[in-house]
Amino acid sequence: MSRPRAHHRRAARAMSVLAVIPCLNEADHLEALLRQMLRDTTITRLVVADGGSTDASPAIVERLAASDPRLVLLANPDRIQSAGVNRAVARYGEGMDWLVRIDAHCLYPDGYVGILLASAAANGADAVVVPMATEGERGWQKAIAAAQNSVLGTGGSPHRHLGSGRFVDHGHHALMRVSAFRELGGYCETMPCNEDAELDVRQTGRGLRIWLEPAAALTYFPRRSLGALWRQYWRYGAGRARTVKRHGIAMKPRQLAPVAIALAVAALPLALVHWIFAVPAAVWASACLGVGLLVGMRAGAGMALLSGVAAMVMHASWGGGFLREWLGRGTDVPRYGLASAITGQTRA
């Protein structure tokens, strides 16, 4: 068994890799991330798709690119991450075997890309996704991190917790075959969020297999305020609704729960007519606050004790965004930007 695995590792190292970092005002930690990735000799080309940063991000890329020709700065006038990755693959993906998506606001283990390639080879996967461990530095960010590291906040989503490797239907995007990404048209650029999960629906629909690799787990830094968290999860819910409507896929219980919670919150004004309408929301809030205290104590107390409040924001905003999108009358017109880019019909 050891010889075939060694062979797979040698083959994986020979693969050409296009790594893409969508970026918008990430100067605080972009240089350290780029230096780490440039130390990884498995990366053939490293593209920073910049959505119009007004900080020092472009200057950092250009300075480091002067000493390493693998690094390229690419303008992303559409600003959103999906368009940035699509544009990078359209421009630099020809002849590449693998695409690696890297997010600028995360921490990665050394040798990250090599781990992904070895995992794909060892497991016969067409794509590799990774779990995320959320870390908060202070204030509400610590409460949000505690919630996102627990079942209370994520409902047991596999890629939100460290566990064993396995095939999944979705996870945090890391490694994809360039050929498959191009054939599928890339990310949908009309998705408000959830473009990665929408692509995974199309990948699995083609019979492609997605492996969750715990050895490549990354550290994610969440939003720093409840307002920012609300906006983020509202977009998540809206994106999931659009994916469900577009592809007719079934909802999981952990996804149905926040929709029910949003309905319970919406029913609160009816408590003026009869108190019974307040019961579902009251039970939910009490459960979140109680369980949140336990989660917070395990996470080191302090602001983490308010993880239940953070979880309530996540539940209600996700459910609200889902319902708003689900009940909306807007027409869903997918735009798989890479498809037009490859045929030469894309924007300049």
Side-chain angles (χ1 to χ4, degrees), residues 175-191:
L175 181 76
M176 293 169 278
R177 293 188 186 277
V178 171
S179 58
F181 191 80
R182 289 164 65 93
E183 288 169 7
L184 290 168
Y187 288 121
C188 176
E189 297 178 13
T190 62
M191 296 290 292

Side-chain angles (χ1 to χ4, degrees), residues 82-91 181 185-189 336-338:
S82 56
V85 177
N86 285 349
R87 189 175 291 270
V89 174
R91 183 74 62 87
F181 191 80
Y187 288 121
C188 176
E189 297 178 13
Y336 301 122
L338 189 57

Side-chain angles (χ1 to χ4, degrees), residues 4-264:
R5 288 184 179 179
H7 171 74
H8 283 316
R9 285 195 292 271
R10 286 195 297 272
R13 285 195 296 271
M15 295 290 100
S16 57
V17 177
L18 171 65
V20 182
I21 305 177
C23 174
L24 181 62
N25 295 326
E26 298 285 358
D28 288 347
H29 37 269
L30 180 61
E31 180 165 353
L33 175 63
L34 291 176
R35 289 188 181 279
Q36 179 189 22
M37 293 302 160
L38 290 172
R39 288 195 298 269
D40 194 330
T41 58
T42 58
I43 295 178
T44 309
R45 170 84 62 184
L46 178 60
V47 178
V48 176
D50 188 79
S53 294
T54 56
D55 65 4
S57 295
I60 291 171
V61 178
E62 291 174 344
R63 175 164 50 82
L64 295 179
S67 58
D68 195 322
R70 292 180 298 158
L71 179 59
V72 175
L73 177 65
L74 176 68
N76 174 28
D78 294 298
R79 297 177 68 86
I80 61 174
Q81 294 184 354
S82 56
V85 177
N86 285 349
R87 189 175 291 270
V89 174
R91 183 74 62 87
Y92 299 105
E94 185 68 32
M96 294 286 183
D97 297 299
W98 293 99
L99 165 66
V100 176
R101 174 173 170 172
I102 299 169
D103 293 313
H105 51 275
C106 296
L107 292 180
Y108 294 85
D110 288 335
Y112 178 69
V113 176
I115 296 172
L116 297 176
L117 292 170
S119 178
N123 297 292
D126 299 290
V128 178
V129 295
V130 298
M132 299 189 296
T134 309
E135 183 176 308
E137 296 175 340
R138 59 184 179 277
W140 278 109
Q141 191 181 51
K142 293 186 72 69
I144 294 168
Q148 292 182 343
N149 284 329
S150 71
V151 175
L152 176 66
T154 63
S157 178
H159 73 281
R160 284 287 189 170
H161 307 278
L162 294 178
S164 58
R166 53 175 163 146
F167 285 104
V168 294
D169 57 8
H170 173 58
H172 187 81
H173 275 195
L175 181 76
M176 293 169 278
R177 293 188 186 277
V178 171
S179 58
F181 191 80
R182 289 164 65 93
E183 288 169 7
L184 290 168
Y187 288 121
C188 176
E189 297 178 13
T190 62
M191 296 290 292
C193 203
N194 206 235
E195 80 284 347
D196 51 352
E198 195 273 343
L199 177 62
D200 284 343
V201 172
R202 289 184 281 134
Q203 287 197 88
T204 55
R206 291 282 189 91
L208 302 179
R209 302 200 302 167
I210 303 171
W211 179 263
L212 178 66
E213 180 50 64
L218 55 83
T219 300
Y220 168 75
F221 297 101
R223 299 301 191 267
R224 295 180 180 273
S225 70
L226 294 183
L229 182 69
W230 178 278
R231 292 187 292 273
Q232 178 189 26
Y233 272 76
W234 183 278
R235 292 193 299 269
Y236 282 175
R240 171 53 61 174
R242 187 170 296 188
T243 299
V244 170
K245 290 175 70 174
R246 179 182 297 176
H247 297 287
I249 58 177
M251 294 274 285
K252 296 179 172 63
R254 60 180 169 81
Q255 296 166 338
L256 290 170
V259 177
I261 288 166
L263 291 172

